[in-house]
Amino acid sequence: MTRVLILGANGQLARNTTRVFLETTDAALTLYLRRASRLANPDPSRVRIVDGDVLDASALSAAMQGQEVVYANLSADIARQAGAIIEGMHASGVKRLIFISSMGIYAEVPGEQYRSVLDPYRDSAALIEKSDLDFTILRPGWFTHEEEIDYQLTQKGEAFRGHDVSLNSLSDLIVKLATTPGLHVRASLGVGRA
Ligand SMILES: NC(=O)c1ccc[n+]([C@@H]2O[C@H](COP(=O)([O-])OP(=O)(O)OC[C@H]3O[C@@H](n4cnc5c(N)ncnc54)[C@H](OP(=O)(O)O)[C@@H]3O)[C@@H](O)[C@H]2O)c1
């Protein structure tokens, strides 16, 4: 039973992935979010809900105790959040990090220009890549609500393939990463529809 901490657990992708974890694995989940009363506990036997901001170092480090995987599904001040996560993981001894970023951070999308809105994403990826963590950074295309699971991966240094990707595809990949030791460790993967 893998113990997974989900940061930003009320996010769109995080909620979909929580459902897929519960339906397809026996993982024990800690859902970490601000204003936790927004979220109903879907399965109290396997799910714990913790109220917290990722930038609150003591709450974050307490939530990380005993976890095997941290899955970060955040937005906004994402470079600062990445720094806080790396510190918290060092303090609590957790090594495995799955971090949701965005396509375009390496100017890897054909026809797309460098966009400053991605600067925090670029900075957060640089921080994570220079850490000693067992990270996988995911760079998804635009999210869709299609039911399908259909995706292809591109490595850092390759041109991005695909344009959009379903939430179910991303959740499928995140669950595989969390539950398969060593899968795509220290990689930054583009994820687009095949
Ligand atoms: N939508 C797309 O097509 C697309 C494409 C590529 C990449 N992405 C990126 O993928 C990531 C996940 O997407 P999503 O749709 O799941 O995002 P989302 O619904 O906006 O969820 C992000 C979550 O991060 C939480 N958060 C932000 N700052 C936090 C903090 N300091 N402490 C704790 N939680 C914090 C937010 O919490 P609150 O609810 O409390 O604000 C929110 O629930 C985002 O970074 C997004 O930019 C999206």
Side-chain angles (χ1 to χ4, degrees):
M1 191 216 290
T2 313
R3 293 182 301 278
V4 183
L5 173 63
I6 303 182
L7 303 177
N10 201 42
Q12 175 181 216
L13 175 58
R15 279 184 280 117
N16 197 68
T17 304
T18 296
R19 177 183 59 76
V20 176
F21 267 119
L22 293 175
E23 286 175 1
T24 66
T25 76
D26 65 353
L29 307 178
T30 303
L31 308 184
Y32 186 96
L33 70 157
R34 303 185 285 202
R35 293 188 289 128
S37 60
R38 288 179 291 174
L39 211 56
N41 191 325
D43 182 351
S45 69
R46 297 168 59 191
V47 177
R48 191 163 63 100
I49 298 186
V50 174
D51 197 303
D53 190 306
V54 164
L55 298 177
D56 177 340
S58 61
L60 183 64
S61 160
M64 284 178 172
Q65 295 303 320
Q67 305 288 351
E68 292 165 290
V69 179
V70 174
Y71 153 40
N73 192 107
L74 298 163
S75 61
D77 195 359
I78 203 161
R80 221 170 126 215
Q81 293 162 3
I85 291 166
I86 293 166
E87 271 184 34
M89 290 181 73
H90 282 155
S92 55
V94 188
K95 290 285 283 182
R96 185 75 177 105
L97 172 65
I98 300 163
F99 190 89
I100 307 304
S101 180
S102 174
M103 68 174 170
I105 62 170
Y106 309 122
E108 79 279 25
V109 183
E112 286 265 338
Q113 298 301 313
Y114 178 96
R115 289 183 298 141
S116 60
V117 70
L118 289 180
D119 282 349
Y121 287 84
R122 210 169 276 120
D123 294 346
S124 60
L127 281 173
I128 292 165
E129 286 167 340
K130 80 170 190 234
S131 78
D132 61 356
L133 296 175
D134 292 339
F135 66 84
T136 306
I137 296 169
L138 296 185
R139 293 176 278 113
W142 294 110
F143 299 174
T144 75
H145 293 85
E146 308 292 329
E147 288 289 315
E148 66 184 15
I149 295 175
D150 178 25
Y151 58 94
Q152 59 182 325
L153 304 178
T154 44
Q155 300 290 334
K156 183 175 180 181
E158 284 187 291
F160 189 88
R161 290 195 295 273
H163 180 266
D164 43 334
V165 64
S166 70
L167 290 168
N168 281 350
S169 295
L170 291 166
S171 297
D172 178 82
L173 176 59
I174 292 162
V175 167
K176 285 196 171 89
L177 291 169
T179 56
T180 314
L183 184 65
H184 297 302
V185 159
R186 296 194 68 80
S188 173
L189 303 174
V191 197
R193 182 158 51 186

